[in-house]
Amino acid sequence: LFDYKGNLIGAVASFLDVTERKKSDQALQNVYDELNAVLNAATDATFLLDPELKIRSFNRAAALGAKQIYKKEIQVGDSILDITPPDLAEDLIRNFKIALSGESVTIEREIEFNASVKYWNQIRYLPVRNKKGEIIGVSFNATDISDRKNAE
């Protein structure tokens, strides 16, 4: 603060206690870390897809599968169609749309990626809802069921 002659006569300080905000931020980070740990513990390849088929999230098994089978490093924002064999894309889109409308879909199919990579998958398309119950995307889960199918 200055007087009428421009001489410094004081100062004003303002403080904001952010302790509660920091605690809240840490609690949120802990929940995120725990959910991420659960997602990455799964052996199923799991993707969260937005309504435009873009990958919003994925787990370690999904990343590993994409790298081993397609030699691709997937990233958030990529289209799931980029790692879908062309002959399976139509089925994926159809089942995705069913899940996006609110109905879960489960299929089993043998998938042949090349002469040396062939296996059975159970694929689940599950609607993902926000707190209001609105569908915001689809959970795409792929489970290798080759051992079970070969035993049948």
Side-chain angles (χ1 to χ4, degrees), residues 6-144:
N7 297 318
L8 180 64
I9 59 170
V12 175
S14 175
F15 297 95
L16 178 62
D17 185 355
V18 295
T19 304
E20 289 305 313
R21 189 181 87 211
K22 289 289 188 185
K23 286 180 184 177
S24 184
D25 288 350
Q26 185 58 52
L28 186 60
Q29 183 64 47
N30 290 346
V31 169
Y32 172 81
D33 291 345
E34 290 169 356
L35 289 174
N36 201 36
V38 169
L39 184 64
N40 281 315
T43 56
D44 295 356
T46 301
F47 298 88
L48 172 60
L49 305 175
D50 73 12
E52 286 76 44
L53 293 162
K54 300 289 184 195
I55 298 170
R56 296 276 314 268
S57 183
F58 56 91
N59 69 351
R60 189 175 300 132
L64 184 61
K67 188 172 186 173
Q68 288 177 338
I69 296 168
Y70 302 105
K71 312 298 185 233
K72 290 190 104 177
E73 297 280 343
I74 55 174
Q75 297 180 21
V76 169
D78 288 349
S79 173
I80 192 69
L81 297 174
D82 292 341
I83 59 167
T84 302
D87 59 323
L88 300 178
E90 187 176 315
D91 284 347
L92 184 145
I93 292 168
R94 183 182 62 252
N95 293 323
F96 176 85
K97 286 179 179 178
I98 293 169
L100 204 55
S101 74
E103 186 181 335
S104 297
V105 178
T106 301
I107 62 169
E108 293 182 357
R109 72 162 20 123
E110 187 175 37
I111 299 174
E112 186 173 345
F113 293 99
N114 59 48
S116 63
V117 180
K118 181 169 40 170
Y119 58 91
W120 279 90
N121 258 352
Q122 179 185 66
I123 303 168
R124 291 180 305 272
Y125 301 82
L126 308 167
V128 175
R129 300 175 189 273
N130 64 15
K131 281 183 170 181
K132 296 177 186 176
E134 302 163 330
I135 297 174
I136 59 168
V138 172
S139 176
F140 174 93
N141 304 12
T143 305
D144 183 350

